[in-house]
Amino acid sequence: MWSRERWRLLLRLVVAAAAAVIRGLASAPAEAAPLEIGFYRGTCPRAEETVLEEMKLILMEDKTLAPSLLRMHYHDCFVQGCDGSIMLKSRKKKAERDALPNRSMRGYDAIERIKARLETLCPRTVSCADIIALAARDAVFLSHGPRYDVETGRRDGNVSVAEYAENDLAPPDSNIVDVKTFFSVKSLNSKDIAVLFGSYFLSLQPTLMACFLSSPPHILVAFPSRCHSIGTSHCAPIQKRLYNFTGNMDQDPSLDPAYAAKLKKLCPPPRPGDDDGSEGKTTKVPMDPGSGFTFDLSYYRHVLATGGLFQSDGSLLNDPVTRGYVEKVANASSPDEYYHDFAEAMVKMGRTDVLYGDQGEIRPTCGVFVD
Ligand code: HEM
């Protein structure tokens, strides 16, 4: 018997698929996106260099923004395509920013700051969607990840609707069938899913790794005060998995019991009366507690050993292709192949339903009000 929540999720998937078909008619399909590397070489030759310079300053001030900006590119691309619409604001609180999955999103000011510098350099030339894509690339690079070429030439949309974000972004309690459906609607396959989920490698920086090296393998002992995770999640997305997985006050059986016990110490059950889960929205846990292995591949070792933080992470183990990929990367002796796959998957995601040519607009500020 399906729960009401599963029916609701199915409905979201149907809405997401229908919306993608309709929107797909008005924008470029992922395979044929007319983007190019170095699109601004004639119109704003210092654009990419400027983004990198500004990103260095931004991350020097707050390195926790690196994973947030990578996540922003994913949330932008999955909702009406990579069109910068995540930056738009609504006075009525009805824009993408106001949607539940985006309430924990950070980095809007960073994008606006980069945009302001580019506007001084080359007014009305570089789109917000491209700035988000370049900032995500530089966030990865400046966090000791790979540096890849980013295709540019996207233009910005001027529509932003909270409901689209709620329908198009998979919730953290998604199983592998749900995840595959959400991603296939965006022309991303099982391998892309497994690769992109590894973005959580950004959550384990060398400083953080040093903190956890002293911890027993695969186990998060606590969130030591001297440690700063740059990739975090609030407790809310995992409370159901820890305390009420099937509605019978149970724990997800696929979650490693020792890891679950540690998570429970950090994330107590929602208290009676805390109906809006406000506690779960303030407490934070690292996305990837690390294991003493190479920082960049540790996400896969972590998922394999513990079932991951979110149900959607653990779901990678329930499909032959995604499981095969997790096992391959977890056992790899070098990150090179993963880095290559990561670059490929990011470029592919960056082509999702883009606006180009005379579609959309290039506005002087990214975060303008839509109402
Ligand atoms: C089924 C797909 C996915 C689900 C359900 C999911 C869910 C989540 C959730 C619940 C958080 C924590 C938010 C919070 O409470 O603060 C998060 C954080 C994050 N997500 Fe995802 N995500 C998915 C896919 C992706 C993809 C494809 C990427 C990158 C391409 C990504 C990158 C990140 C990063 C880097 C963070 C850390 C953000 C920060 O520290 O500010 N996620 N995700």
Side-chain angles (χ1 to χ4, degrees):
M1 198 45 187
W2 271 27
S3 68
R4 199 182 301 166
E5 273 178 52
R6 287 221 62 75
W7 281 112
R8 210 176 292 145
L9 184 60
L10 181 70
L11 184 67
R12 283 173 56 176
L13 283 166
V14 172
V15 172
V21 170
I22 295 164
R23 289 197 295 262
L25 297 175
S27 55
E31 299 307 325
L35 303 175
E36 58 174 290
I37 292 163
F39 178 82
Y40 298 108
R41 80 173 70 80
T43 52
C44 191
R46 293 202 54 237
E48 295 203 22
E49 200 183 315
T50 306
V51 175
L52 179 61
E53 271 170 28
E54 208 56 41
M55 278 297 291
K56 279 183 189 162
L57 298 174
I58 288 166
L59 297 188
M60 226 188 290
E61 285 165 29
D62 181 0
K63 67 181 172 192
T64 70
L65 284 172
S68 310
L69 290 167
L70 172 56
R71 182 178 182 224
M72 183 183 282
H73 185 39
Y74 158 57
H75 282 216
D76 185 35
C77 290
F78 264 56
V79 185
Q80 301 193 90
C82 318
D83 69 343
S85 57
I86 192 168
M87 292 296 298
L88 293 166
K89 296 180 191 168
S90 158
R91 290 187 179 85
K92 297 178 187 154
K93 302 283 168 222
K94 290 193 167 161
E96 284 170 38
R97 277 186 190 219
D98 306 302
L100 186 66
N102 284 334
R103 286 191 203 148
S104 54
M105 182 60 71
R106 300 167 61 237
Y108 298 107
D109 292 347
I111 297 298
E112 210 62 84
R113 175 171 159 178
I114 300 170
K115 173 69 169 168
R117 251 199 87 185
L118 287 169
E119 281 300 300
T120 338
L121 203 63
C122 337
R124 306 284 287 260
T125 306
V126 184
S127 69
C128 302
D130 279 345
I131 295 173
I132 296 173
L134 293 166
R137 181 269 305 272
D138 291 344
V140 170
F141 172 62
L142 295 170
S143 305
H144 313 284
R147 183 166 167 87
Y148 52 90
D149 284 334
V150 170
E151 293 174 340
T152 42
R154 298 169 190 82
R155 291 175 61 90
D156 294 331
N158 52 17
V159 175
S160 185
V161 180
E163 265 176 21
Y164 293 169
E166 269 143 24
N167 288 331
D168 290 359
L169 294 164
D173 60 351
S174 301
N175 64 33
I176 191 64
V177 177
D178 304 331
V179 175
K180 280 166 75 171
T181 313
F182 275 99
F183 278 65
S184 66
V185 165
K186 310 292 173 192
S187 308
L188 295 167
N189 62 28
S190 298
K191 181 182 173 189
D192 300 323
I193 294 169
V195 172
L196 290 171
F197 274 31
S199 292
Y200 298 137
F201 74 74
L202 256 195
S203 49
L204 193 65
Q205 286 297 283
T207 44
L208 178 68
M209 189 168 85
C211 296
F212 289 107
L213 273 174
S214 53
S215 308
H218 313 311
I219 292 176
L220 171 64
V221 173
F223 199 175
S225 56
R226 69 198 162 88
C227 298
H228 290 284
S229 165
I230 70 159
T232 56
S233 167
H234 294 85
C235 287
I238 53 169
Q239 271 168 333
K240 183 173 165 231
R241 195 175 191 206
L242 294 176
Y243 298 108
N244 200 11
F245 187 57
T246 63
N248 294 315
M249 310 308 279
D250 52 345
Q251 181 179 302
D252 180 349
S254 68
L255 191 60
D256 174 63
Y259 179 47
K262 300 298 171 190
L263 287 175
K264 281 179 163 173
K265 276 196 189 154
L266 294 170
C267 297
R271 273 187 309 163
D274 182 29
D275 294 336
D276 67 345
S278 48
E279 259 181 7
K281 285 178 199 148
T282 47
T283 313
K284 285 188 166 190
V285 291
M287 308 279 310
D288 176 349
S291 57
F293 297 105
T294 328
F295 82 94
D296 39 309
L297 305 181
S298 68
Y299 168 80
Y300 294 96
R301 289 162 176 153
H302 172 58
V303 168
L304 206 53
T306 65
L309 183 64
F310 303 133
Q311 203 181 325
S312 47
D313 295 320
S315 80
L316 294 179
L317 303 176
N318 299 330
D319 171 89
V321 176
T322 50
R323 185 181 181 101
Y325 192 82
V326 171
E327 286 172 346
K328 187 169 85 166
V329 182
N331 294 308
S333 52
S334 135
D336 294 351
E337 190 179 340
Y338 174 69
Y339 280 2
H340 172 267
D341 291 345
F342 180 77
E344 217 169 60
M346 286 296 284
V347 169
K348 199 168 162 191
M349 184 176 82
R351 291 177 185 162
T352 308
D353 296 337
V354 296
L355 299 172
Y356 63 99
D358 56 6
Q359 297 170 331
E361 61 184 14
I362 307 290
R363 49 179 178 267
T365 315
C366 297
V368 298
F369 284 99
V370 288
D371 54 25

